Structure formats: structure tokens, C-alpha cells
Amino acid sequence: MKRLIIIKTIILLEAVILTILLGTVKINVYNSYDNSEAESLSEYFWKTSSEKANCLVREYNRSVKIDNYAITLDSAAFNDDTKTIHARFRISQRDAIVKSYIYSEDNMWKAFGDDNRFSLSVNTDRRTIEKFYGKYEGKDLIIYCKIQYFCDETEDTHEIYLLDKESGKTEYENCAAKFLLEPSSNSVEIHCSTALNVCISPFSVKLSSVVDLYPRTIKIIYKNGETQEILNAKENLVRQDEILSFTSSRSKMQNIEIIEAPNLIDIEQIESVIYNDVEYKR
């Protein structure tokens, strides 16, 4: 079991100034772990599982060529409701191996190419959690990225941007290229109370509340009686990667918790959700 790790990121000056004028949105992004054999999206994108997740993933095969590079979006899973993106890119370079920095457990820096020329990102009006993993197939670099983000109601992101520092195209308004995403899965909403709403996609759970959230346990109950544990902080079965606090343009405080499911959720068969030991029917 992994011990609970909490990393707090606070932008103090901005928060102090803007909180006086505006409401605050707090976003917590969790990653949960277990040892079951059920399939995850990461297994799908690395082609180590069967094709059970095909219905959740769109094939794109969209390429852009810049100098002697070809950057291709192979496939992506995108849920707009829970603000979660999983994408697989293939990077090739004529007559060369694409340079990257890959460290433990396939984690990689987001920059790649000669002199870290390129990077992939999303354009949101709020902080974003981005994780990049890399492997090689021959000379090609395969990048699997997981992105969780939050936007105000007035702004949203459906695109992954390619930035190129060699050409100076490092701004979203003047990027090297962008890959438009289409939602690939549905979601289920359960209104637990006037203060709490739970949105469940096949690969993540989003909690929304006007009051502070203290999630300890989240469990899915299926129609056949089976259960799926998403979060269990009581037994330290979850790692809280980051707590992000910043100011929203909204007039009231809103708390958002995004929890990445360790394995795919069958949203069509959900009967109820248990949040902090209280069951709420769909």
C-alpha cells in the first residue's frame, strides 16, 4: 500500500489579490490504485490488454509534418463532463531517433525532439494536471498522455496543442498545430443533495459542491450487486497528487474533486454510489 502523499500548490500572491474580488474554486485531483486484473485505459493505449476499451476510444490518425518530424495523434479517449483526456501520439523523425527524456516507470518530460523543441498541452483558464509516459517502437517515440483539467463555464478545451519553441510558436493563439478532440464516452450524474453532485465517466469521477469536500471513500454499486472501489483514503489506498487552490470568475465558491478510477467503470450498469459511507441511488 502506498502512504497518503499530499502536495500542496499555492499561488499566494494571486490568490490573495483575486480572492478579495472573486469566489474561489478548489480542485483536488486524485489517482487511486488497486491490484485487480480489470483493464485500465493505460493498458489499452500501451496495447497490453484486449480490445474491450475500443468503444471508449476514438481513432484519429491525424498527422502534422514540421521539418523532418511527423507528429501523429493515433487515438484518444475524452470525456467532457469529467474533464479527462487520455491520448496516444506517435512521433517520428526522418533518419533519426526522436529524442526524449524518459525516467522511471515510463514517465517522461513533456518536451521532446532536438533541444526539447516540441511539447503538447491543453489551453484552459485554470490549472491542469498533465502526465506523460513514453516508449519507443523502433525509432518512433510513442507518447501516452493523461490530462485532467477544469474550466469556467464560459471557457472549455477540446484540443491538444502542439507548441514549437524553434519556430517561436509557443502560444496557444499561434501554435504549431492543434488536434481537435471529440467526446468519446458518456457519463452518469447522481444528485446526492442540494450541495453535492457526482458525475461518473468510464474512467473518472468528478465531485462538485458549494461546500468543502472531504472524500474518504467512494464505491460504485452495480445492478448485479458487484462493487467497485474508487477511493479509500481510510486505508491509504489513494495518492492525493495535488491540491490546487485558485480564484474563479464565478461569484460563489465551488469545490471540485476529480478522482481517476484505477479500472474502467461500466457506467450503464451503475445502480448507486457510496460516498463517505452514505449510499445515493442513481
Side-chain angles (χ1 to χ4, degrees):
M1 293 186 181
K2 295 182 179 290
R3 297 182 62 186
L4 186 64
I5 303 173
I6 301 178
I7 303 174
K8 296 188 177 180
T9 304
I10 302 176
I11 306 176
L12 182 59
L13 181 60
E14 179 179 297
V16 170
I17 296 173
L18 294 179
T19 303
I20 297 174
L21 302 174
L22 306 168
T24 298
V25 170
K26 181 172 64 178
I27 298 180
N28 297 345
V29 180
Y30 298 86
N31 287 318
S32 50
Y33 301 83
D34 73 14
N35 297 319
S36 73
E37 297 298 324
E39 293 184 44
S40 65
L41 274 179
S42 61
E43 291 171 340
Y44 174 86
F45 280 107
W46 285 138
K47 306 300 183 184
T48 58
S49 66
S50 67
E51 298 182 352
K52 286 172 60 178
N54 273 350
C55 61
L56 305 177
V57 179
R58 289 185 182 272
E59 298 293 328
Y60 287 90
N61 296 316
R62 294 178 182 170
S63 297
V64 295
K65 293 184 178 180
I66 301 175
D67 297 335
N68 59 342
Y69 291 90
I71 297 95
T72 303
L73 172 61
D74 282 344
S75 55
F78 169 44
N79 186 270
D80 195 20
D81 297 323
T82 56
K83 308 302 182 190
T84 304
I85 298 170
H86 295 251
R88 186 178 191 267
F89 284 85
R90 177 181 295 272
I91 319 299
S92 60
Q93 184 178 4
R94 187 172 59 248
D95 301 325
I97 298 176
V98 180
K99 293 182 179 179
S100 68
Y101 179 67
I102 300 173
Y103 50 103
S104 63
E105 298 180 348
D106 300 324
N107 287 270
M108 68 169 285
W109 286 356
K110 64 185 295 182
F112 57 90
D114 293 339
D115 299 320
N116 292 323
R117 174 178 178 176
F118 298 103
S119 61
L120 298 164
S121 190
V122 295
N123 180 20
T124 67
D125 56 351
R126 294 290 170 257
R127 292 290 302 277
T128 303
I129 303 298
E130 299 177 331
K131 296 184 179 180
F132 293 86
Y133 306 87
K135 289 185 179 182
Y136 282 94
E137 289 185 0
K139 295 181 179 180
D140 292 353
L141 172 64
I142 307 300
I143 297 176
Y144 165 50
C145 56
K146 296 194 296 184
I147 302 171
Q148 293 170 305
Y149 64 93
F150 177 78
C151 287
D152 268 345
E153 294 174 347
T154 54
E155 299 184 29
D156 208 340
T157 183
H158 287 180
E159 295 162 321
I160 297 178
Y161 289 76
L162 176 67
L163 307 179
D164 177 9
K165 70 177 185 179
E166 183 170 309
S167 65
K169 295 183 177 182
T170 57
E171 302 293 333
Y172 295 115
E173 297 79 7
N174 182 33
C175 60
K178 55 186 176 181
F179 300 90
L180 179 64
L181 302 176
E182 298 178 7
S184 61
S185 63
N186 296 322
S187 59
V188 171
E189 284 200 46
I190 299 177
H191 299 282
C192 302
S193 67
T194 56
L196 175 64
N197 186 68
V198 178
C199 184
I200 306 170
S201 75
F203 32 84
S204 54
V205 175
K206 186 176 92 170
L207 309 175
S208 303
S209 178
V210 296
V211 299
D212 286 341
L213 289 165
Y214 301 98
R216 300 183 303 275
T217 59
I218 298 177
K219 186 180 294 185
I220 302 294
I221 309 297
Y222 290 109
K223 295 176 182 178
N224 62 4
E226 293 183 357
T227 63
Q228 181 176 353
E229 192 168 59
I230 305 299
L231 182 150
N232 191 337
K234 292 179 178 179
E235 299 181 11
N236 291 342
L237 293 178
V238 60
R239 185 182 73 202
Q240 186 177 1
D241 272 346
E242 294 184 356
I243 296 179
L244 310 177
S245 299
F246 45 80
T247 303
S248 169
S249 60
R250 299 179 183 182
S251 60
K252 62 182 180 180
M253 182 174 180
Q254 184 181 22
N255 297 297
I256 305 292
E257 311 276 352
I258 301 176
I259 302 98
E260 180 187 349
N263 300 299
L264 295 174
I265 301 171
D266 187 354
I267 62 172
E268 299 299 328
Q269 299 302 316
I270 293 176
E271 175 74 22
S272 60
V273 61
I274 296 178
Y275 172 73
N276 288 352
D277 301 323
V278 179
E279 184 174 4
Y280 299 95
K281 294 289 185 179
R282 179 175 174 178

